Amino acid sequence: MNEFLTLICDAIEHMNIGGFTKLRELEPELKRQYDVLDQQIQWDCLAGVAETTKQNGKFQMLLFSYLLSALRDEKVEYFIENMLIEENIPLLSRINTIRQLWKAVFSSPMVTDEKRHYIIQNSIYIDLVTQIRKELNMKLQYVPFAQRNKKRVVLMIEPLLGEAHAPTQKMTNIYCWLQKLGYEVCVYATNMNQIEISEYWNWYNSLVDVCCYPETGKFELKLLGVHIKGYNLNYTEENYFEELKKAIHDIKEYNPAFILTVGDSNILADLCGDFTTVCAMACVNQPAQTASSVIVRYFRCTEEENRKYLEWTRPDQKIFEMVCVDELNANVESGVDRKDFGIAEDKFVILIAGNRLDTEVTEEVKRVFQMILEQNEVLFVFIGNCPKLENELAKEADHYRFFGAVNDFKGIMRIGNLFLNPPRQGGGTGAFYAVENDVPVLTLPDCDVAQVGEAFTCEKLWNMPDIVNRYIHDAAFMEQQKENCRKSAAAIYGVDSLGNIKNFCKELQEYIIENENNREG
């Protein structure tokens, strides 16, 4: 214990003088010393550190964000949640902090009681929305559905990025389908980039949203061939609350039938819930963090995923199905072939694809790669930019190849024998493209990639080397899994997206009117 606490003191010293390089160097030893402690002593140590630093809320949060990065233990997450509940830092800092917490857990998954943390953090988020509402002090009257413009819909996204960004792609497809159904659609895109920059030093390894559209104001642009109209709002630290006020006023004047958020939490949308219906749709296989009472799910659910939605959501929330599969995407078809990359036809190629592989390919995952290589001569091919990982594995170029971002994401799957998914959320698009190309998937359950089917899941990360070995040496098993690919692809793409969205709009209208009638009664 003394060794661990001494390292904490060293970390505090480096923080005080801005020695962030030294902090990174301390992380492995800090985790080693922490892991040898028993559970109760770990709790006691963290509680002591929290008590010692509680007089300076911002520094305390910075320190615990560092410990979250170094220790990857959910106990630290509990302490951060408690700090957010205790309100020792300003409101805008708390808004940024909970977003940074979500990003940290999403980009570097760890073993946690996901349901419990979701419920705690949803409660914290709703409290933040309530406090913002008090700060704004706007008297917003609910607009009955009969008085709304029933042919207008607002789509909200935070942030709006390029065509390869999954939520932006999903939003563009929904925009197109709603237009086909006769709706006038307005996109309201918000971005926290400037606030995240101003709060950068209050969270260790802050993740800052990319800002593709630096101008605040009306926009017209073409995404995936679709002409998109809307408004872009880049929040600033100085005028955040005034910017929210103006946006709420503008949306109220637009008077849509409903608002649909694409992606995770959206504070502006939840504030608009005072006067209209807000529907929250996450792009991963768990409910969005929202104060809204309407949850939308765009993918077919397994029994386990449905149970998660039912158990995690609040009693006041209703779940709507709106199953749709993107028809428009950023993929550029090409005749991808192994020989273009100098890969032999008899080489067994394992594909790993994603935009966050630098954090998702952890030391545990790399050990699994090594176990696979000890059993068989395979080639790992990484799709997506991951300079840190590429640098770490540079000395083993015979076993690891890095292709970076590719234009033909779907086509590149043809060079693989297997699509391996590290523990994470996201990654569903790559898995869909894999099964479409008869490339089996290997993934843990309870993640987005597992939507391709139970036939492609395994219980634990450590089971993967033996399953890879079976793919290589058991031809009948490989053929059976390719048949499962064809079944999976047929189920994924055999969807009437336009019809399902039409049904969703009809069911939502009925739900809104029924609620209004019950309220009056």
Side-chain angles (χ1 to χ4, degrees):
M1 183 173 74
N2 289 338
E3 291 87 347
F4 175 70
L5 293 175
T6 299
L7 287 169
I8 294 278
C9 291
D10 290 346
I12 290 171
E13 272 188 46
H14 292 308
M15 275 183 186
N16 284 327
I17 61 172
F20 284 86
T21 301
K22 285 289 185 184
L23 283 173
R24 279 190 290 275
E25 292 172 0
L26 273 179
E27 284 191 40
E29 182 60 18
L30 192 66
K31 178 159 177 59
R32 195 181 73 78
Q33 292 295 342
Y34 179 80
D35 286 346
V36 299
L37 304 174
D38 69 39
Q39 296 277 326
Q40 189 55 53
I41 292 175
Q42 289 175 346
W43 279 111
D44 293 343
C45 285
L46 294 172
V49 173
E51 180 66 25
T52 305
T53 56
K54 70 178 182 182
Q55 297 306 316
N56 186 338
K58 283 193 172 183
F59 182 82
Q60 183 188 52
M61 192 63 77
L62 174 63
L63 177 59
F64 272 79
S65 68
Y66 170 68
L67 294 177
L68 184 70
S69 173
L71 306 180
R72 307 307 304 157
D73 185 355
E74 71 169 328
K75 296 186 196 68
V76 183
E77 193 174 354
Y78 282 118
F79 278 94
I80 292 172
E81 289 162 349
N82 286 332
M83 291 169 202
L84 285 165
I85 292 166
E86 289 167 2
E87 301 182 10
N88 287 336
I89 57 177
L91 178 55
L92 197 52
S93 293
R94 295 205 306 279
I95 294 165
N96 180 66
T97 295
I98 197 162
R99 295 178 81 259
Q100 292 296 335
L101 175 60
W102 290 334
K103 289 181 182 186
V105 173
F106 180 81
S107 59
S108 301
M110 55 189 178
V111 178
T112 65
D113 183 343
E114 289 184 313
K115 174 186 171 183
R116 189 173 178 189
H117 287 293
Y118 175 88
I119 292 169
I120 292 170
Q121 289 165 30
N122 188 243
S123 175
I124 293 168
Y125 173 75
I126 290 171
D127 186 57
L128 287 171
V129 172
T130 301
Q131 291 184 51
I132 295 167
R133 187 179 288 115
K134 288 178 184 175
E135 183 77 25
L136 299 181
N137 193 27
M138 296 177 77
K139 308 301 181 189
L140 298 168
Q141 294 295 317
Y142 177 79
V143 179
F145 192 76
Q147 295 173 24
R148 300 180 199 173
N149 189 322
K150 297 172 190 61
K151 280 299 177 183
R152 284 181 175 170
V153 175
V154 168
L155 295 180
M156 287 198 187
I157 187 168
E158 184 176 289
L160 177 68
L161 299 180
E163 294 178 336
H165 177 235
T168 299
Q169 182 172 299
K170 179 62 67 180
M171 182 276 296
T172 304
N173 276 269
I174 293 172
Y175 185 102
C176 186
W177 286 316
L178 286 170
Q179 278 194 326
K180 287 179 180 178
L181 291 171
Y183 288 96
E184 175 186 309
V185 190
C186 177
V187 172
Y188 223 97
T190 50
N191 197 300
M192 290 285 283
N193 169 276
Q194 292 183 53
I195 290 173
E196 289 171 337
I197 290 170
S198 66
E199 290 279 333
Y200 188 81
W201 299 108
N202 294 330
W203 184 273
Y204 181 73
N205 278 348
S206 276
L207 295 173
V208 176
D209 283 346
V210 174
C211 184
C212 292
Y213 310 99
E215 298 297 322
T216 287
K218 290 182 180 179
F219 69 77
E220 292 189 26
L221 63 131
K222 190 171 276 191
L223 289 170
L224 304 173
V226 179
H227 192 67
I228 304 282
K229 290 184 179 181
Y231 191 91
N232 190 58
L233 171 55
N234 293 307
Y235 295 121
T236 63
E237 184 182 34
E238 302 80 13
N239 300 306
Y240 178 69
F241 297 107
E242 286 304 313
E243 288 157 353
L244 277 174
K245 267 189 182 181
K246 182 183 182 306
I248 291 166
H249 177 269
D250 290 348
I251 293 164
K252 193 171 190 300
E253 287 293 304
Y254 188 68
N255 193 25
F258 62 90
I259 294 169
L260 175 65
T261 68
V262 181
D264 207 27
S265 67
N266 194 302
I267 286 171
L268 174 58
D270 282 318
L271 293 167
C272 290
D274 288 349
F275 62 84
T276 194
T277 306
V278 175
C279 312
M281 187 187 83
C283 288
V284 293
N285 72 334
Q286 64 184 47
Q289 287 286 3
T290 182
S292 166
S293 61
V294 178
I295 298 289
V296 179
R297 200 163 51 196
Y298 74 85
F299 54 87
R300 280 202 180 104
C301 251
T302 64
E303 191 176 319
E304 180 60 36
E305 286 166 339
N306 191 52
R307 185 161 53 248
K308 176 193 281 192
Y309 266 74
L310 293 172
E311 290 178 355
W312 290 24
T313 48
R314 306 185 306 270
D316 68 296
Q317 290 179 313
K318 180 172 174 62
I319 301 164
F320 284 85
E321 301 284 354
M322 191 183 77
V323 178
C324 52
V325 178
D326 294 348
E327 294 170 359
L328 308 169
N329 57 62
N331 199 66
V332 178
E333 296 283 351
S334 66
V336 176
D337 194 274
R338 282 188 173 207
K339 64 177 179 290
D340 299 331
F341 303 97
I343 299 173
E345 285 300 319
D346 60 353
K347 177 67 75 176
F348 193 90
V349 174
I350 298 175
L351 299 170
I352 298 103
N355 295 317
R356 296 174 297 273
L357 295 177
D358 274 340
T359 54
E360 291 168 345
V361 179
T362 61
E363 290 304 315
E364 274 192 339
V365 174
K366 280 183 263 187
R367 282 200 292 275
V368 168
F369 292 167
Q370 198 54 48
M371 289 166 66
I372 291 169
L373 286 168
E374 285 169 5
Q375 293 185 32
N376 292 285
E377 189 68 23
V378 304
L379 177 67
F380 291 94
V381 171
F382 298 89
I383 313 298
N385 293 322
C386 46
K388 179 171 166 280
L389 181 65
E390 184 171 3
N391 185 58
E392 288 172 1
L393 300 177
K395 293 179 181 177
E396 300 181 67
D398 288 348
H399 298 131
Y400 301 104
R401 295 274 301 276
F402 293 83
F403 288 4
V406 296
N407 289 327
D408 189 0
F409 188 27
K410 185 191 294 186
I412 202 72
M413 296 297 152
R414 290 197 292 272
I415 74 167
N417 299 96
L418 183 67
F419 181 99
L420 190 149
N421 186 55
R424 60 176 174 180
Q425 294 297 331
T429 300
F432 288 179
Y433 286 165
V435 295
E436 192 178 351
N437 279 289
D438 280 3
V439 175
V441 171
L442 179 54
T443 183
L444 297 177
D446 197 27
C447 65
D448 297 303
V449 167
Q451 292 173 43
V452 294
E454 193 177 338
F456 303 105
T457 63
C458 67
E459 186 92 19
K460 297 177 182 175
L461 189 63
W462 308 114
N463 298 145
M464 288 188 175
D466 287 341
I467 296 172
V468 171
N469 189 58
R470 189 177 178 194
Y471 271 110
I472 294 171
H473 298 291
D474 187 339
F477 175 65
M478 173 62 94
E479 190 49 49
Q480 175 192 333
Q481 290 296 79
K482 285 188 175 186
E483 179 57 32
N484 285 328
C485 285
R486 291 185 275 277
K487 290 177 183 176
S488 176
I492 289 165
Y493 293 104
V495 168
D496 178 12
S497 299
L498 186 64
N500 290 344
I501 290 177
K502 183 179 180 179
N503 288 338
F504 161 72
C505 294
K506 178 175 176 290
E507 290 169 7
L508 179 65
Q509 177 175 329
E510 292 169 354
Y511 167 79
I512 295 167
I513 293 169
E514 182 184 349
N515 270 5
E516 290 177 352
N517 291 338
N518 290 340
R519 202 177 302 147
E520 289 170 7

